[in-house]
Amino acid sequence: MTTQTVLAAAGGVSGGEQVTFWILAPLALIGAIGMVAARNAVHSALWLVLTMLCLGVFYVLQAGPFIGMVQIIVYTGAIMMLFLFVLMLVGRDASDSLIETLRGQRAAAILLGLGFAGLVGTGIYRALKGVTAVGLDQANAEGNVQGIARLLFTKYVFAFELTSALLITAAVGAMVLAHIERRKQDKMDQIATMNARFAPGNYPGPKPGPGVFATSSSVATPARLPDGRLTERSTPDILPVRELTAQEVSPKGTDK
Amino acid sequence: MIYLAQDPTLADFGKDPWWLVVGKVLFAFVLAVLATLLGVWFERRVVARMAVRPGPNQVGPLGLLQTLADGLKMAFKEDILPRTADKVVYFFAPTISVICAVTALSVVPFGPMVSIFGHWTPLQVTDVSVAVLVLLACSSMGIYGIVLGGWASGSTYPLLGGLRSSAQMISYEVAMGLSIVAVFMTAGTMSTSGIVAAQGDATQLTVFGTDIPAPGWYAILLLPSFIIFFIATVGETNRAPFDLPEAESELVAGFMTEYSSLKFALFMLSEYVSMVTMSAVTTTLFLGGWRAPWPITLWEGANSGWWPLLWFFGKVITLVFVFVWLRGTLPRLRYDQFMRLGWKVLLPINLVWILVLSGLRSIDHFDTRSRLLWTAIGAGVLLLATLFWPSRKPQPQPSLQERVNNRPHGSFPLPPMDLQVPPSPRTRRVVAEREPANIAAGPESREV
């Protein structure tokens, strides 16, 4: 199979794998540093996306195409997207302030972080020095996806089910917390809303404007309803309703 | 039917010389750009036909070059950068969209094994054992372009459009992924070329003692999955009736409100490329990929050589036409209706269908394919019956006057039924009468 032949052949590192690694490893590191260093929360999340994408490609490189793609789809595509969703709703100008509340905290954090990274790095390097990977071909013998499926549904089925039960409980819990109980009669669907809007006694449209007719342009002139009646809703309450007399609507003789 | 060794397997990939790889990649890229140029023209012409108007017909033969002219004009427009925009993210967002849309084309099989300059190679850029997951990954990364574009614009409507689109695409990706699960279960592989090969062998259906070759397309065998998948792709590509992220009546243009010039063109490009990509994926997963449909398969050479490219693009263009048809026909859904459709209709139906499918597969002594075919035929008949079931006999309609008389007190006032325009108070206006002007005569008749 291509993925297996091109990628990690057990015991050796192929040229393509090395090139990909040395391109993506610095990128992943830059992403990690950028995530910590970025002041804007959304930028921070984007740096993390870069790191996760690189990790996904690393998994593919190490003959685990399924887990690599799942890393990209689930972590980068769905989970980070929801993170972004929340961050964007928080507000785009919510940058962190640079004022240290604890004196010397940043320097100490950098020092401790470097020390920890050095410890872990050297520890892993010394532990894995000269160790050759075995069993990769057997694990992928019947295909990567099939191998994972076999393990998930036989050996680790209990752990798998427990994890899914935990996740479902969390989802249901979140839904219960966010749920608002509404009485049945308070729920209005589209049809009910429209019926209520056009029910007798309710005026469906905006309030009619006061009359600007051919004879008058006064806000005191009430508007006419479709059947010709005058409506008081159109005039301000403080103004007396004033209807034009026959004399006022008669031609003034100026336009002759 | 005997197929020659046309079906590429995973072992056939990764053996091309470098120039062939470059050529295939270029082919996919050029295809994406050409698809946009022709797709915009196709959509405008088809929608115009549906609206009984000519559509673009001035630039080039049949208006074919209209999109090119528009694209050139767009490139020379001013590129506006809003003052509140986040510059780097604003710049990168459209490129992310385009890159993801084009990358997805790399695992689509365009045809069988062919000979290119003496190299026996599959007509597909590459294939991996998880190729369909690569497609899903591309479409889920494509959301970033839209969301970041909306956020980085630094104004309200784009932000709302971007957030809408992320919620929309994530929820429809769930339905999409679940319908692909049915394909995985039936095909037994996740590689696109493998799925096309699995749809190749025709099922023999025995009806009243005669063998009828039925197509092995998953669109028929897995009818519910196909329907849900196609609905989900429309939601995933932000096309009408699911184009809520750019709902112009609510959000101006959604996430691309602030974009102009080439960046806007990139967003347009990604939209059309993803429409073509999704059509190609639907063809691959459900419509037999590059394999010819039934009457053509009577000809032995239909599925070999370069001919399958023709069948493949025929199917893709048909699906793109359906996309355009939907846009020309259906009004946009409201946001809550849209979400309800995704989570409360498509998702449960999909889950139940997968359960039924695994049940069908686990019955012993019974051929899965013919069983699926019978299920699909049953489902199709049920669907047609619900579509064409005569509705209840209509109640006799009361006349207009009766309905007016039956209106309760306090209803919205109606204009009088025998409406006559009341005489205007100025009806007695008199037009000024003048002597007819006489200018033909000499200077003595000047006093007009």
Side-chain angles (χ1 to χ4, degrees), chain A residues 6-202:
Chain A
V6 169
L7 310 174
V13 182
S14 68
E17 189 182 349
Q18 261 184 341
V19 169
T20 320
F21 177 81
W22 285 114
I23 292 174
L24 289 186
L27 273 183
L29 213 58
I30 290 172
I33 294 172
M35 187 217 133
V36 181
R39 288 173 59 194
N40 190 319
V42 173
H43 289 172
S44 192
L46 289 179
W47 283 118
L48 188 58
V49 167
L50 177 67
T51 304
M52 285 179 163
L53 275 179
C54 294
L55 284 187
V57 181
F58 285 153
Y59 292 152
V60 177
L61 271 184
Q62 290 165 357
F66 181 77
I67 199 75
M69 283 303 140
V70 167
Q71 158 90 11
I72 292 178
I73 295 174
V74 175
Y75 276 89
T76 323
I79 296 179
M80 274 321 289
M81 186 54 81
L82 291 181
F83 256 80
L84 266 186
F85 205 100
V86 175
L87 290 178
M88 288 175 181
L89 286 178
V90 165
R92 62 186 307 275
D93 294 324
S95 297
D96 285 340
S97 83
L98 281 178
I99 301 166
E100 288 187 51
T101 43
L102 297 174
R103 188 180 295 271
Q105 173 202 21
R106 191 172 294 126
I110 291 174
L111 205 69
L112 281 179
L114 282 178
F116 184 69
L119 270 183
V120 172
T122 44
I124 290 179
Y125 177 71
R126 288 174 67 96
L128 296 182
K129 195 178 176 187
V131 174
T132 48
V134 287
L136 194 59
D137 291 331
Q138 290 94 309
N140 278 337
E142 46 185 348
N144 182 254
V145 183
Q146 284 83 349
I148 289 179
R150 183 174 303 284
L151 280 182
L152 269 189
F153 287 101
T154 53
K155 196 173 171 188
Y156 297 108
V157 69
F158 190 63
F160 191 54
E161 292 293 328
L162 270 186
T163 315
S164 72
L166 179 72
L167 289 178
I168 289 175
T169 316
V172 170
M175 261 149 62
V176 167
L177 285 180
H179 186 64
I180 301 168
E181 192 72 43
R182 274 203 294 180
R183 281 174 299 168
K184 197 148 194 171
Q185 58 266 30
D186 289 347
K187 284 182 189 164
M188 300 264 279
D189 59 351
Q190 164 96 26
I191 299 170
T193 317
M194 283 302 119
N195 279 338
R197 186 173 163 209
F198 288 98
N202 190 38

Side-chain angles (χ1 to χ4, degrees), chain A residues 219-254:
Chain A
V219 287
T221 313
R224 284 184 190 277
L225 290 175
D227 56 351
R229 284 182 292 128
L230 298 171
T231 171
E232 286 164 13
R233 295 166 56 102
S234 61
T235 48
D237 289 339
I238 54 167
L239 291 179
V241 173
R242 171 169 165 271
E243 201 176 350
L244 299 182
T245 59
Q247 192 202 352
E248 278 169 319
V249 299
S250 64
K252 303 202 168 48
T254 53

Side-chain angles (χ1 to χ4, degrees), chain A residues 2 43 76 85 92 190 201 227, chain B residues 13 86 144 166 334 410 414:
Chain A
T2 17
H43 289 172
T76 323
F85 205 100
R92 62 186 307 275
Q190 164 96 26
D227 56 351
Chain B
F13 291 93
D86 187 309
Y144 274 100
S166 72
R334 232 176 37 221
L414 287 178

